[in-house]
Amino acid sequence: MKLGSPFRPRLLSALLFSIFLGSAPATPAQERGELRIATSYKLMTLDPQYANLNENTSLLSHIYERLVYQDENLELKPGLATSWRPLSDTQWAFKLRDKVRFHDGSVFDADDVVYTIERIRDFLKPPSGGFRSYVSGIKSVSAPDPLTVLIETDGAVPNLPLFFSSIFVMNRPSKGFETTEDLNAGHPPNGTGPYRFESWSSGESLRLARNDDYWGGKPAWSKVSFRVIENPAARVAALSTGEVDVADAIPARDVASLKERGARVASVGAARVNFVQFDVARDTLPGVTDKSGEPIANPFKNPLVRRALTLATDRGILVDKILAGYGTAAAQVFPNGLPGTSANLLPEAPNYDEAKMLLAKAGFPDGFNLVLAGPAGRYPGDAESLQAVAQSWARIGVNAQPAAAPFSVFNTKRAAGDYGVWYGGTSGEAVDIILHTLLASPDPERGTGALNFGKYRNEAFDAMLARAESIAVGPERNAALAQATELVMADQPIIPLYHFHHIVGYGSRIGSYVLHPRGWTTAMQTLPAME
């Protein structure tokens, strides 16, 4: 997919509904036994509301469902809620799907939604990555009847339905709140989804069985087993030998060899961005010196320097060489064509002469030295991208020393302020979620800037983003987000590099695999081959 071309539906809407919401109903000819999936995702908890990570979102979506879901164009569609509407600036009504049952046979109703919101808002205290930010603005929630939920917010929350597209609904127990420890220790997960829980070994495997009573139709696979294989080469080998039917997170370099061995490959541009981020707040920075090794004033405070480094970045090498074409050059936080993106922002070819002129104008005619930090093995092509960016910057006199580290080490050091400039990545449900966390001024009260480690501040952008966030989901909001994005990207607080493509390989037992830009790996996306 090229930047500037919109996402296009690949299946009829009815099929998309069944795949992404639940499971494609099986016919006798389609019905199969066990689906075997090799995944890079390590499911470390059975609590669906503890950590907002793809590991949980992907695997636990077989068991649990949301009120609202996002289709492949990131548009909101009915899930356990059939409709929703604002009653005022601070009140919403959600109508729920009738005749839905949890796996233990109990009836799903509004009381379960009330429990879900209250558990996240008032009970869970995860160390990080939780869902509390999605419900912290909810003042009260009530159930006037079994199929209606009324929500009152502290202020206007026009994208509340979007927030619910990330929250799994749990069944209210007879008393109290279920703890994460209880769920991990053996309380069987009890959802409304197309598959029932069978067994789990933390960080190793997850086994599921078909929910024959699923409201969305009988799932295609009678059993599903996930085998955690973190090493990419080992996942490729397992698919090549037929040990598994599906393998996710396939390295682009292995696509050709997989095809030669008879496997097929599906890919889609990820709803995420990988980027270079600058520390623009501190007066001096670790690892940033003049050519003689002496510390210098923070050059990244100067927008001319940030612009020069942007012009000296060759995204084409990253996409064509490192990602082997399985990526899209980036100029904003989501691939062009998704809601909230700007059609006016397109990636630029490098212009080293202009970059040198800008550096000289900023007072650095000879360039300077820096350490370019980043994770190794976290994202496709991450360590190689560090090397390629460093080589590009060397052409304008900026000598960058790549420093790749395991993600846990990198993340700790970045949070501690050990870096002055670094490579990173992030994803989210929508453009405004990323703008809110990555580029908005850090403000604990508003909850903005959680990933703005560079402490960038732009009051005009903050105001435009706040205005966009006050508009209901739809074309007007999307246009306002695009305008805010254009403003902030002109200031270059980050250098968007690429949107890598999710790549999944599958074998002969699979008829087709429908990828989602959020990067989920599920049995519901996997259709059996027809005999």
Side-chain angles (χ1 to χ4, degrees), residues 368-372 386 389-391 393-394 398-402:
F368 50 89
N369 299 335
L370 59 83
V371 174
L372 179 60
L386 287 181
V389 170
Q391 291 171 10
W393 289 358
V398 175
N399 296 329
Q401 177 187 346

Side-chain angles (χ1 to χ4, degrees), residues 114-385:
V114 173
Y115 169 78
T116 290
I117 293 172
E118 291 179 342
R119 182 175 187 265
I120 296 172
R121 186 191 62 189
D122 305 330
F123 177 71
L124 284 182
K125 293 180 175 60
S128 64
F131 296 88
R132 183 169 294 178
S133 62
Y134 296 126
V135 298
S136 59
I138 295 177
K139 183 178 181 180
S140 65
V141 55
S142 60
D145 64 65
L147 296 179
T148 303
V149 175
L150 294 181
I151 294 174
E152 183 175 354
T153 58
D154 289 322
V157 186
N159 60 341
L160 187 65
L162 175 65
F163 290 166
F164 283 124
S165 72
S166 292
I167 294 173
F168 288 124
V169 175
M170 293 180 66
N171 180 223
R172 180 185 285 276
S174 58
K175 59 181 180 178
F177 293 105
E178 281 192 283
T179 68
T180 300
E181 292 73 21
D182 286 342
L183 287 167
N184 290 338
H187 283 206
N190 184 29
T192 60
Y195 291 92
R196 301 170 183 266
F197 174 82
E198 277 202 339
S199 65
W200 167 64
S201 178
S202 177
E204 295 181 7
S205 64
L206 174 69
R207 296 186 63 84
L208 307 166
R210 179 169 55 205
N211 176 13
D212 289 329
D213 298 322
Y214 180 56
W215 64 266
K218 187 177 179 180
W221 306 94
S222 61
K223 300 278 188 180
V224 179
S225 63
F226 284 91
R227 176 181 164 195
V228 178
I229 304 178
E230 292 188 87
N231 184 280
R235 286 196 304 278
V236 169
L239 178 61
S240 299
T241 60
E243 293 178 43
V244 298
D245 303 303
V246 175
D248 66 16
I250 297 294
R253 63 178 178 270
D254 293 319
V255 169
S257 63
L258 270 178
K259 289 181 176 179
E260 289 175 359
R261 298 176 210 171
R264 285 173 290 172
V265 169
S267 69
V268 70
R272 61 173 307 120
V273 65
N274 286 73
F275 53 85
V276 170
Q277 189 172 33
F278 304 104
D279 185 323
V280 299
R282 291 180 286 176
D283 293 331
T284 59
L285 298 173
V288 180
T289 70
D290 62 18
K291 289 299 183 69
S292 65
E294 293 298 317
I296 59 175
N298 181 353
F300 308 129
K301 287 189 174 185
N302 192 329
L304 294 178
V305 173
R306 302 196 297 267
R307 177 63 179 157
L309 293 173
T310 299
L311 285 173
T313 302
D314 190 341
R315 297 173 177 86
I317 288 178
L318 302 178
V319 170
D320 297 334
K321 302 298 183 183
I322 294 174
L323 298 179
Y326 284 91
T328 305
Q332 54 191 316
V333 298
F334 265 8
N336 199 343
L338 287 178
T341 57
S342 169
N344 298 323
L345 291 175
L346 300 173
E348 301 174 274
N351 187 329
Y352 300 107
D353 291 337
E354 184 177 350
K356 289 179 181 178
M357 291 174 57
L358 291 174
L359 270 188
K361 187 175 180 180
F364 300 97
D366 299 321
F368 50 89
N369 299 335
L370 59 83
V371 174
L372 179 60
R378 175 70 174 182
Y379 311 109
D382 48 16
E384 297 92 336
S385 293

Side-chain angles (χ1 to χ4, degrees), residues 435-436 438-443 446 448-449 452 456-469 484 487-488:
L435 296 177
H436 191 89
L438 182 65
L439 297 174
S441 299
D443 185 340
R446 290 185 59 222
T448 57
N452 185 352
Y456 171 77
R457 293 182 180 275
N458 185 325
E459 292 183 1
F461 167 68
D462 291 341
M464 291 184 71
L465 179 59
R467 176 187 172 275
E469 291 179 324
L487 175 75
V488 74

Side-chain angles (χ1 to χ4, degrees), residues 40-61:
S40 59
Y41 291 138
K42 291 181 69 173
L43 179 64
M44 304 305 292
T45 177
L46 292 177
D47 187 339
Q49 297 168 354
Y50 184 75
N52 187 9
L53 300 170
N54 251 12
E55 291 92 315
N56 282 17
T57 300
S58 181
L59 300 185
L60 293 182
S61 66

